[in-house]
Amino acid sequence: MTLTAWVNGRFLPLDEATVHIEDRGFQFADGVYEVIACFGGTFLDMDAHLKRLQRSAESINIDLPMTLPELATLIEQTYNHNPFDDAMIYVQVTRGAAPRSHLPNAGLTPTMVITSRHLPMPSAEKISDGINAITLEDMRWKRCDIKSIALLTSVIGKQEAAYRGADETFWLDADGHLLEGCATNCFAAINGVLVTHPLDHQVLGGITRRMVLSVARTHGITVQERPWMLSEAELTECMMSSTTNAVMPVCHINGEVVGTGEPGPMAIQLRNWLLDEFDKLKRHS
Ligand code: PDD
């Protein structure tokens, strides 16, 4: 199936959907993005994603070229051109194209691109064995709360993880606290409490993170948003979350087992509760 993308006002076959070589996204990574899941035609927390996109764009002084309801309609139309049962929508907005200059000219027309494609689910093996992660000292910028397209450190983190036979890198602050992954938020079960780093400039406010904390609280699990370390005595499980993974147990970090080395009960429960929520969405669509 040939994918159709929306680019600057037009639906085009993916191969023909191109942007200017002087686009500031290409030259300066001067832009922001979102990844939204869609199950059976129902978008997962579209409003939250669009609001985060707007917040990210405002943080770098880009005006979105349309209102959020207009953008939601365009996203739906792009999905309808590529109607996968499990779909992943990518929206990118850059400041626009202009002769290269670090200081952007005022009044540029933002470039906007939307794609929709199949969302691959984690393999059964990964779900039953858990994720293998490594940690590295955080070398990213100090505004990780902005969903910027400048993802070079994420690329390096993923490459280093792959080189060491792992799937994800979790970033550590200078004191050794786990912040988040290259493209995931991370959590621990510590003494039966679900713990994750608080929202600040060092982590992205994940939409899935918010859902995970919400289903945990609904089911009576205590949640603490505080800095945490792998060396904490009562730590029994680790897990990570993202739009593309839901919740995944993390069973090995830096080659050492976490807890029993098998997916723990809290990660399994949270994953199942979250997938139940997604199923409800599918049934209502
Ligand atoms: N990444 N932290 C980082 C650094 C991320 O890039 C992401 C998402 C998350 C999880 O956010 P959410 O639950 O809203 O997907 C946390 C997307 C999926 C990506 O870059 O492909």
PDB file of all heavy atoms in Angstrom, residues 246-282:
ATOM      1  N   ALA A 246       3.045   1.316  24.802  1.00  0.00           N
ATOM      2  CA  ALA A 246       2.172   1.246  25.993  1.00  0.00           C
ATOM      3  C   ALA A 246       3.090   1.123  27.215  1.00  0.00           C
ATOM      4  O   ALA A 246       3.987   1.938  27.360  1.00  0.00           O
ATOM      5  CB  ALA A 246       1.158   0.117  25.866  1.00  0.00           C
ATOM      6  N   VAL A 247       2.903   0.075  28.038  1.00  0.00           N
ATOM      7  CA  VAL A 247       3.845  -0.149  29.145  1.00  0.00           C
ATOM      8  C   VAL A 247       4.630  -1.409  28.843  1.00  0.00           C
ATOM      9  O   VAL A 247       4.044  -2.407  28.444  1.00  0.00           O
ATOM     10  CB  VAL A 247       3.119  -0.389  30.483  1.00  0.00           C
ATOM     11  CG1 VAL A 247       4.119  -0.554  31.614  1.00  0.00           C
ATOM     12  CG2 VAL A 247       2.178   0.745  30.790  1.00  0.00           C
ATOM     13  N   MET A 248       5.937  -1.354  29.037  1.00  0.00           N
ATOM     14  CA  MET A 248       6.756  -2.552  28.846  1.00  0.00           C
ATOM     15  C   MET A 248       7.620  -2.782  30.068  1.00  0.00           C
ATOM     16  O   MET A 248       8.240  -1.846  30.588  1.00  0.00           O
ATOM     17  CB  MET A 248       7.658  -2.364  27.617  1.00  0.00           C
ATOM     18  CG  MET A 248       6.933  -2.483  26.300  1.00  0.00           C
ATOM     19  SD  MET A 248       6.300  -4.143  25.987  1.00  0.00           S
ATOM     20  CE  MET A 248       7.794  -5.008  25.561  1.00  0.00           C
ATOM     21  N   PRO A 249       7.672  -4.043  30.537  1.00  0.00           N
ATOM     22  CA  PRO A 249       8.574  -4.356  31.648  1.00  0.00           C
ATOM     23  C   PRO A 249      10.031  -4.248  31.197  1.00  0.00           C
ATOM     24  O   PRO A 249      10.354  -4.593  30.064  1.00  0.00           O
ATOM     25  CB  PRO A 249       8.225  -5.819  31.990  1.00  0.00           C
ATOM     26  CG  PRO A 249       7.481  -6.358  30.825  1.00  0.00           C
ATOM     27  CD  PRO A 249       6.926  -5.212  30.039  1.00  0.00           C
ATOM     28  N   VAL A 250      10.873  -3.767  32.080  1.00  0.00           N
ATOM     29  CA  VAL A 250      12.316  -3.682  31.800  1.00  0.00           C
ATOM     30  C   VAL A 250      13.000  -4.640  32.764  1.00  0.00           C
ATOM     31  O   VAL A 250      12.944  -4.452  33.980  1.00  0.00           O
ATOM     32  CB  VAL A 250      12.825  -2.242  32.020  1.00  0.00           C
ATOM     33  CG1 VAL A 250      14.334  -2.165  31.798  1.00  0.00           C
ATOM     34  CG2 VAL A 250      12.088  -1.267  31.102  1.00  0.00           C
ATOM     35  N   CYS A 251      13.577  -5.704  32.248  1.00  0.00           N
ATOM     36  CA  CYS A 251      14.049  -6.792  33.123  1.00  0.00           C
ATOM     37  C   CYS A 251      15.560  -6.860  33.270  1.00  0.00           C
ATOM     38  O   CYS A 251      16.059  -7.556  34.153  1.00  0.00           O
ATOM     39  CB  CYS A 251      13.510  -8.130  32.622  1.00  0.00           C
ATOM     40  SG  CYS A 251      11.707  -8.173  32.721  1.00  0.00           S
ATOM     41  N   HIS A 252      16.281  -6.184  32.390  1.00  0.00           N
ATOM     42  CA  HIS A 252      17.742  -6.137  32.527  1.00  0.00           C
ATOM     43  C   HIS A 252      18.201  -4.703  32.304  1.00  0.00           C
ATOM     44  O   HIS A 252      17.741  -4.039  31.367  1.00  0.00           O
ATOM     45  CB  HIS A 252      18.435  -7.058  31.507  1.00  0.00           C
ATOM     46  CG  HIS A 252      18.184  -8.505  31.778  1.00  0.00           C
ATOM     47  ND1 HIS A 252      17.066  -9.156  31.324  1.00  0.00           N
ATOM     48  CD2 HIS A 252      18.900  -9.412  32.493  1.00  0.00           C
ATOM     49  CE1 HIS A 252      17.106 -10.421  31.736  1.00  0.00           C
ATOM     50  NE2 HIS A 252      18.208 -10.605  32.457  1.00  0.00           N
ATOM     51  N   ILE A 253      19.086  -4.225  33.172  1.00  0.00           N
ATOM     52  CA  ILE A 253      19.678  -2.890  32.980  1.00  0.00           C
ATOM     53  C   ILE A 253      21.187  -3.024  33.183  1.00  0.00           C
ATOM     54  O   ILE A 253      21.640  -3.587  34.184  1.00  0.00           O
ATOM     55  CB  ILE A 253      19.069  -1.852  33.947  1.00  0.00           C
ATOM     56  CG1 ILE A 253      17.548  -1.729  33.710  1.00  0.00           C
ATOM     57  CG2 ILE A 253      19.752  -0.492  33.761  1.00  0.00           C
ATOM     58  CD1 ILE A 253      16.841  -0.644  34.513  1.00  0.00           C
ATOM     59  N   ASN A 254      21.939  -2.561  32.209  1.00  0.00           N
ATOM     60  CA  ASN A 254      23.409  -2.660  32.218  1.00  0.00           C
ATOM     61  C   ASN A 254      23.861  -4.107  32.438  1.00  0.00           C
ATOM     62  O   ASN A 254      24.825  -4.377  33.166  1.00  0.00           O
ATOM     63  CB  ASN A 254      24.009  -1.742  33.289  1.00  0.00           C
ATOM     64  CG  ASN A 254      23.725  -0.284  32.985  1.00  0.00           C
ATOM     65  OD1 ASN A 254      23.610   0.097  31.827  1.00  0.00           O
ATOM     66  ND2 ASN A 254      23.593   0.528  34.025  1.00  0.00           N
ATOM     67  N   GLY A 255      23.130  -5.044  31.849  1.00  0.00           N
ATOM     68  CA  GLY A 255      23.514  -6.454  31.912  1.00  0.00           C
ATOM     69  C   GLY A 255      23.148  -7.141  33.218  1.00  0.00           C
ATOM     70  O   GLY A 255      23.411  -8.328  33.388  1.00  0.00           O
ATOM     71  N   GLU A 256      22.537  -6.400  34.136  1.00  0.00           N
ATOM     72  CA  GLU A 256      22.149  -7.018  35.412  1.00  0.00           C
ATOM     73  C   GLU A 256      20.643  -7.189  35.479  1.00  0.00           C
ATOM     74  O   GLU A 256      19.902  -6.375  34.926  1.00  0.00           O
ATOM     75  CB  GLU A 256      22.605  -6.132  36.574  1.00  0.00           C
ATOM     76  CG  GLU A 256      24.105  -6.000  36.573  1.00  0.00           C
ATOM     77  CD  GLU A 256      24.655  -5.402  37.849  1.00  0.00           C
ATOM     78  OE1 GLU A 256      23.857  -5.082  38.749  1.00  0.00           O
ATOM     79  OE2 GLU A 256      25.872  -5.268  37.904  1.00  0.00           O
ATOM     80  N   VAL A 257      20.208  -8.233  36.192  1.00  0.00           N
ATOM     81  CA  VAL A 257      18.757  -8.448  36.275  1.00  0.00           C
ATOM     82  C   VAL A 257      18.138  -7.392  37.187  1.00  0.00           C
ATOM     83  O   VAL A 257      18.739  -6.942  38.155  1.00  0.00           O
ATOM     84  CB  VAL A 257      18.379  -9.856  36.808  1.00  0.00           C
ATOM     85  CG1 VAL A 257      18.788 -10.922  35.821  1.00  0.00           C
ATOM     86  CG2 VAL A 257      18.945 -10.115  38.172  1.00  0.00           C
ATOM     87  N   VAL A 258      16.915  -7.024  36.825  1.00  0.00           N
ATOM     88  CA  VAL A 258      16.116  -6.143  37.692  1.00  0.00           C
ATOM     89  C   VAL A 258      15.108  -7.065  38.379  1.00  0.00           C
ATOM     90  O   VAL A 258      14.409  -7.828  37.705  1.00  0.00           O
ATOM     91  CB  VAL A 258      15.360  -5.091  36.858  1.00  0.00           C
ATOM     92  CG1 VAL A 258      14.518  -4.200  37.771  1.00  0.00           C
ATOM     93  CG2 VAL A 258      16.320  -4.256  36.029  1.00  0.00           C
ATOM     94  N   GLY A 259      15.037  -7.003  39.690  1.00  0.00           N
ATOM     95  CA  GLY A 259      14.111  -7.883  40.430  1.00  0.00           C
ATOM     96  C   GLY A 259      14.443  -9.333  40.153  1.00  0.00           C
ATOM     97  O   GLY A 259      15.587  -9.768  40.288  1.00  0.00           O
ATOM     98  N   THR A 260      13.417 -10.076  39.681  1.00  0.00           N
ATOM     99  CA  THR A 260      13.625 -11.506  39.410  1.00  0.00           C
ATOM    100  C   THR A 260      14.218 -11.752  38.026  1.00  0.00           C
ATOM    101  O   THR A 260      14.527 -12.887  37.669  1.00  0.00           O
ATOM    102  CB  THR A 260      12.279 -12.250  39.462  1.00  0.00           C
ATOM    103  OG1 THR A 260      11.454 -11.705  38.411  1.00  0.00           O
ATOM    104  CG2 THR A 260      11.581 -12.082  40.800  1.00  0.00           C
ATOM    105  N   GLY A 261      14.284 -10.677  37.219  1.00  0.00           N
ATOM    106  CA  GLY A 261      14.741 -10.858  35.837  1.00  0.00           C
ATOM    107  C   GLY A 261      13.600 -11.225  34.905  1.00  0.00           C
ATOM    108  O   GLY A 261      13.804 -11.418  33.703  1.00  0.00           O
ATOM    109  N   GLU A 262      12.382 -11.310  35.446  1.00  0.00           N
ATOM    110  CA  GLU A 262      11.183 -11.589  34.638  1.00  0.00           C
ATOM    111  C   GLU A 262      10.230 -10.416  34.808  1.00  0.00           C
ATOM    112  O   GLU A 262      10.291  -9.723  35.835  1.00  0.00           O
ATOM    113  CB  GLU A 262      10.468 -12.835  35.157  1.00  0.00           C
ATOM    114  CG  GLU A 262      11.379 -14.013  35.309  1.00  0.00           C
ATOM    115  CD  GLU A 262      10.820 -15.228  34.619  1.00  0.00           C
ATOM    116  OE1 GLU A 262       9.599 -15.448  34.714  1.00  0.00           O
ATOM    117  OE2 GLU A 262      11.617 -15.929  33.979  1.00  0.00           O
ATOM    118  N   PRO A 263       9.309 -10.210  33.863  1.00  0.00           N
ATOM    119  CA  PRO A 263       8.331  -9.133  34.042  1.00  0.00           C
ATOM    120  C   PRO A 263       7.619  -9.272  35.389  1.00  0.00           C
ATOM    121  O   PRO A 263       7.162 -10.362  35.743  1.00  0.00           O
ATOM    122  CB  PRO A 263       7.367  -9.333  32.871  1.00  0.00           C
ATOM    123  CG  PRO A 263       8.206  -9.995  31.821  1.00  0.00           C
ATOM    124  CD  PRO A 263       9.155 -10.897  32.574  1.00  0.00           C
ATOM    125  N   GLY A 264       7.567  -8.194  36.134  1.00  0.00           N
ATOM    126  CA  GLY A 264       6.992  -8.243  37.473  1.00  0.00           C
ATOM    127  C   GLY A 264       5.489  -8.000  37.458  1.00  0.00           C
ATOM    128  O   GLY A 264       4.929  -7.552  36.444  1.00  0.00           O
ATOM    129  N   PRO A 265       4.823  -8.300  38.578  1.00  0.00           N
ATOM    130  CA  PRO A 265       3.359  -8.196  38.609  1.00  0.00           C
ATOM    131  C   PRO A 265       2.841  -6.785  38.349  1.00  0.00           C
ATOM    132  O   PRO A 265       1.808  -6.626  37.685  1.00  0.00           O
ATOM    133  CB  PRO A 265       2.994  -8.648  40.031  1.00  0.00           C
ATOM    134  CG  PRO A 265       4.267  -8.655  40.808  1.00  0.00           C
ATOM    135  CD  PRO A 265       5.387  -8.811  39.830  1.00  0.00           C
ATOM    136  N   MET A 266       3.551  -5.757  38.821  1.00  0.00           N
ATOM    137  CA  MET A 266       3.015  -4.412  38.612  1.00  0.00           C
ATOM    138  C   MET A 266       3.078  -4.027  37.133  1.00  0.00           C
ATOM    139  O   MET A 266       2.124  -3.484  36.572  1.00  0.00           O
ATOM    140  CB  MET A 266       3.749  -3.378  39.470  1.00  0.00           C
ATOM    141  CG  MET A 266       2.982  -2.072  39.518  1.00  0.00           C
ATOM    142  SD  MET A 266       3.834  -0.734  40.358  1.00  0.00           S
ATOM    143  CE  MET A 266       3.729  -1.235  42.061  1.00  0.00           C
ATOM    144  N   ALA A 267       4.196  -4.347  36.476  1.00  0.00           N
ATOM    145  CA  ALA A 267       4.326  -4.019  35.048  1.00  0.00           C
ATOM    146  C   ALA A 267       3.276  -4.779  34.234  1.00  0.00           C
ATOM    147  O   ALA A 267       2.647  -4.216  33.333  1.00  0.00           O
ATOM    148  CB  ALA A 267       5.726  -4.357  34.557  1.00  0.00           C
ATOM    149  N   ILE A 268       3.078  -6.058  34.575  1.00  0.00           N
ATOM    150  CA  ILE A 268       2.111  -6.866  33.819  1.00  0.00           C
ATOM    151  C   ILE A 268       0.703  -6.301  34.008  1.00  0.00           C
ATOM    152  O   ILE A 268      -0.052  -6.124  33.046  1.00  0.00           O
ATOM    153  CB  ILE A 268       2.173  -8.352  34.254  1.00  0.00           C
ATOM    154  CG1 ILE A 268       3.518  -8.949  33.834  1.00  0.00           C
ATOM    155  CG2 ILE A 268       1.020  -9.147  33.659  1.00  0.00           C
ATOM    156  CD1 ILE A 268       3.794 -10.348  34.371  1.00  0.00           C
ATOM    157  N   GLN A 269       0.373  -5.975  35.274  1.00  0.00           N
ATOM    158  CA  GLN A 269      -0.962  -5.415  35.533  1.00  0.00           C
ATOM    159  C   GLN A 269      -1.163  -4.093  34.805  1.00  0.00           C
ATOM    160  O   GLN A 269      -2.184  -3.881  34.152  1.00  0.00           O
ATOM    161  CB  GLN A 269      -1.139  -5.168  37.027  1.00  0.00           C
ATOM    162  CG  GLN A 269      -1.602  -6.391  37.782  1.00  0.00           C
ATOM    163  CD  GLN A 269      -1.778  -6.070  39.251  1.00  0.00           C
ATOM    164  OE1 GLN A 269      -1.050  -5.254  39.806  1.00  0.00           O
ATOM    165  NE2 GLN A 269      -2.741  -6.701  39.868  1.00  0.00           N
ATOM    166  N   LEU A 270      -0.175  -3.210  34.922  1.00  0.00           N
ATOM    167  CA  LEU A 270      -0.329  -1.891  34.286  1.00  0.00           C
ATOM    168  C   LEU A 270      -0.477  -2.043  32.774  1.00  0.00           C
ATOM    169  O   LEU A 270      -1.292  -1.369  32.151  1.00  0.00           O
ATOM    170  CB  LEU A 270       0.868  -0.997  34.626  1.00  0.00           C
ATOM    171  CG  LEU A 270       0.875  -0.463  36.060  1.00  0.00           C
ATOM    172  CD1 LEU A 270       2.225   0.181  36.392  1.00  0.00           C
ATOM    173  CD2 LEU A 270      -0.252   0.537  36.290  1.00  0.00           C
ATOM    174  N   ARG A 271       0.318  -2.943  32.200  1.00  0.00           N
ATOM    175  CA  ARG A 271       0.213  -3.168  30.752  1.00  0.00           C
ATOM    176  C   ARG A 271      -1.192  -3.658  30.392  1.00  0.00           C
ATOM    177  O   ARG A 271      -1.826  -3.157  29.479  1.00  0.00           O
ATOM    178  CB  ARG A 271       1.287  -4.151  30.286  1.00  0.00           C
ATOM    179  CG  ARG A 271       1.259  -4.397  28.798  1.00  0.00           C
ATOM    180  CD  ARG A 271       2.400  -5.202  28.234  1.00  0.00           C
ATOM    181  NE  ARG A 271       2.112  -5.454  26.825  1.00  0.00           N
ATOM    182  CZ  ARG A 271       2.367  -4.602  25.847  1.00  0.00           C
ATOM    183  NH1 ARG A 271       2.960  -3.465  26.089  1.00  0.00           N
ATOM    184  NH2 ARG A 271       2.039  -4.884  24.605  1.00  0.00           N
ATOM    185  N   ASN A 272      -1.685  -4.647  31.160  1.00  0.00           N
ATOM    186  CA  ASN A 272      -3.006  -5.201  30.855  1.00  0.00           C
ATOM    187  C   ASN A 272      -4.102  -4.158  31.032  1.00  0.00           C
ATOM    188  O   ASN A 272      -5.016  -4.061  30.212  1.00  0.00           O
ATOM    189  CB  ASN A 272      -3.295  -6.426  31.725  1.00  0.00           C
ATOM    190  CG  ASN A 272      -2.434  -7.603  31.295  1.00  0.00           C
ATOM    191  OD1 ASN A 272      -1.934  -7.631  30.167  1.00  0.00           O
ATOM    192  ND2 ASN A 272      -2.230  -8.565  32.187  1.00  0.00           N
ATOM    193  N   TRP A 273      -4.004  -3.372  32.107  1.00  0.00           N
ATOM    194  CA  TRP A 273      -5.029  -2.339  32.327  1.00  0.00           C
ATOM    195  C   TRP A 273      -5.023  -1.314  31.199  1.00  0.00           C
ATOM    196  O   TRP A 273      -6.073  -0.875  30.734  1.00  0.00           O
ATOM    197  CB  TRP A 273      -4.798  -1.632  33.676  1.00  0.00           C
ATOM    198  CG  TRP A 273      -5.098  -2.479  34.861  1.00  0.00           C
ATOM    199  CD1 TRP A 273      -6.023  -3.487  34.941  1.00  0.00           C
ATOM    200  CD2 TRP A 273      -4.465  -2.409  36.150  1.00  0.00           C
ATOM    201  NE1 TRP A 273      -6.007  -4.037  36.193  1.00  0.00           N
ATOM    202  CE2 TRP A 273      -5.069  -3.403  36.960  1.00  0.00           C
ATOM    203  CE3 TRP A 273      -3.469  -1.616  36.700  1.00  0.00           C
ATOM    204  CZ2 TRP A 273      -4.707  -3.608  38.289  1.00  0.00           C
ATOM    205  CZ3 TRP A 273      -3.100  -1.820  38.022  1.00  0.00           C
ATOM    206  CH2 TRP A 273      -3.707  -2.803  38.800  1.00  0.00           C
ATOM    207  N   LEU A 274      -3.823  -0.955  30.757  1.00  0.00           N
ATOM    208  CA  LEU A 274      -3.730   0.032  29.684  1.00  0.00           C
ATOM    209  C   LEU A 274      -4.281  -0.547  28.373  1.00  0.00           C
ATOM    210  O   LEU A 274      -5.043   0.112  27.660  1.00  0.00           O
ATOM    211  CB  LEU A 274      -2.262   0.436  29.503  1.00  0.00           C
ATOM    212  CG  LEU A 274      -2.027   1.886  29.125  1.00  0.00           C
ATOM    213  CD1 LEU A 274      -2.546   2.818  30.203  1.00  0.00           C
ATOM    214  CD2 LEU A 274      -0.547   2.144  28.907  1.00  0.00           C
ATOM    215  N   LEU A 275      -3.929  -1.819  28.088  1.00  0.00           N
ATOM    216  CA  LEU A 275      -4.422  -2.435  26.847  1.00  0.00           C
ATOM    217  C   LEU A 275      -5.940  -2.596  26.898  1.00  0.00           C
ATOM    218  O   LEU A 275      -6.617  -2.469  25.883  1.00  0.00           O
ATOM    219  CB  LEU A 275      -3.726  -3.777  26.586  1.00  0.00           C
ATOM    220  CG  LEU A 275      -2.220  -3.683  26.331  1.00  0.00           C
ATOM    221  CD1 LEU A 275      -1.656  -5.057  25.937  1.00  0.00           C
ATOM    222  CD2 LEU A 275      -1.857  -2.670  25.258  1.00  0.00           C
ATOM    223  N   ASP A 276      -6.482  -2.853  28.112  1.00  0.00           N
ATOM    224  CA  ASP A 276      -7.950  -2.915  28.257  1.00  0.00           C
ATOM    225  C   ASP A 276      -8.572  -1.581  27.866  1.00  0.00           C
ATOM    226  O   ASP A 276      -9.601  -1.535  27.198  1.00  0.00           O
ATOM    227  CB  ASP A 276      -8.340  -3.202  29.718  1.00  0.00           C
ATOM    228  CG  ASP A 276      -8.145  -4.659  30.069  1.00  0.00           C
ATOM    229  OD1 ASP A 276      -7.904  -5.458  29.139  1.00  0.00           O
ATOM    230  OD2 ASP A 276      -8.211  -4.987  31.268  1.00  0.00           O
ATOM    231  N   GLU A 277      -7.929  -0.483  28.317  1.00  0.00           N
ATOM    232  CA  GLU A 277      -8.445   0.852  27.964  1.00  0.00           C
ATOM    233  C   GLU A 277      -8.418   1.025  26.441  1.00  0.00           C
ATOM    234  O   GLU A 277      -9.370   1.533  25.849  1.00  0.00           O
ATOM    235  CB  GLU A 277      -7.586   1.961  28.597  1.00  0.00           C
ATOM    236  CG  GLU A 277      -7.585   1.972  30.111  1.00  0.00           C
ATOM    237  CD  GLU A 277      -8.935   2.355  30.696  1.00  0.00           C
ATOM    238  OE1 GLU A 277      -9.538   3.324  30.196  1.00  0.00           O
ATOM    239  OE2 GLU A 277      -9.385   1.667  31.635  1.00  0.00           O
ATOM    240  N   PHE A 278      -7.330   0.572  25.808  1.00  0.00           N
ATOM    241  CA  PHE A 278      -7.237   0.713  24.350  1.00  0.00           C
ATOM    242  C   PHE A 278      -8.330  -0.124  23.672  1.00  0.00           C
ATOM    243  O   PHE A 278      -8.938   0.300  22.699  1.00  0.00           O
ATOM    244  CB  PHE A 278      -5.870   0.254  23.812  1.00  0.00           C
ATOM    245  CG  PHE A 278      -4.681   1.022  24.335  1.00  0.00           C
ATOM    246  CD1 PHE A 278      -3.396   0.617  24.030  1.00  0.00           C
ATOM    247  CD2 PHE A 278      -4.843   2.146  25.129  1.00  0.00           C
ATOM    248  CE1 PHE A 278      -2.287   1.322  24.496  1.00  0.00           C
ATOM    249  CE2 PHE A 278      -3.749   2.853  25.610  1.00  0.00           C
ATOM    250  CZ  PHE A 278      -2.473   2.428  25.300  1.00  0.00           C
ATOM    251  N   ASP A 279      -8.566  -1.340  24.193  1.00  0.00           N
ATOM    252  CA  ASP A 279      -9.592  -2.216  23.619  1.00  0.00           C
ATOM    253  C   ASP A 279     -10.968  -1.589  23.708  1.00  0.00           C
ATOM    254  O   ASP A 279     -11.772  -1.674  22.782  1.00  0.00           O
ATOM    255  CB  ASP A 279      -9.615  -3.565  24.358  1.00  0.00           C
ATOM    256  CG  ASP A 279      -8.644  -4.536  23.730  1.00  0.00           C
ATOM    257  OD1 ASP A 279      -8.152  -4.231  22.628  1.00  0.00           O
ATOM    258  OD2 ASP A 279      -8.371  -5.582  24.350  1.00  0.00           O
ATOM    259  N   LYS A 280     -11.231  -0.949  24.868  1.00  0.00           N
ATOM    260  CA  LYS A 280     -12.533  -0.280  25.030  1.00  0.00           C
ATOM    261  C   LYS A 280     -12.694   0.768  23.939  1.00  0.00           C
ATOM    262  O   LYS A 280     -13.757   0.908  23.344  1.00  0.00           O
ATOM    263  CB  LYS A 280     -12.607   0.403  26.403  1.00  0.00           C
ATOM    264  CG  LYS A 280     -13.024  -0.521  27.526  1.00  0.00           C
ATOM    265  CD  LYS A 280     -13.239   0.282  28.800  1.00  0.00           C
ATOM    266  CE  LYS A 280     -12.716  -0.499  29.989  1.00  0.00           C
ATOM    267  NZ  LYS A 280     -12.317   0.338  31.118  1.00  0.00           N
ATOM    268  N   LEU A 281     -11.600   1.473  23.667  1.00  0.00           N
ATOM    269  CA  LEU A 281     -11.649   2.496  22.620  1.00  0.00           C
ATOM    270  C   LEU A 281     -11.992   1.856  21.279  1.00  0.00           C
ATOM    271  O   LEU A 281     -12.827   2.350  20.538  1.00  0.00           O
ATOM    272  CB  LEU A 281     -10.283   3.164  22.486  1.00  0.00           C
ATOM    273  CG  LEU A 281      -9.987   4.316  23.410  1.00  0.00           C
ATOM    274  CD1 LEU A 281      -8.567   4.808  23.157  1.00  0.00           C
ATOM    275  CD2 LEU A 281     -10.966   5.443  23.160  1.00  0.00           C
ATOM    276  N   LYS A 282     -11.306   0.729  20.973  1.00  0.00           N
ATOM    277  CA  LYS A 282     -11.527   0.058  19.686  1.00  0.00           C
ATOM    278  C   LYS A 282     -12.995  -0.330  19.548  1.00  0.00           C
ATOM    279  O   LYS A 282     -13.605  -0.165  18.505  1.00  0.00           O
ATOM    280  CB  LYS A 282     -10.683  -1.214  19.596  1.00  0.00           C
ATOM    281  CG  LYS A 282      -9.269  -1.005  19.174  1.00  0.00           C
ATOM    282  CD  LYS A 282      -8.625  -2.357  18.911  1.00  0.00           C
ATOM    283  CE  LYS A 282      -7.119  -2.242  18.851  1.00  0.00           C
ATOM    284  NZ  LYS A 282      -6.432  -3.489  18.655  1.00  0.00           N
TER     285      LYS A 282
END
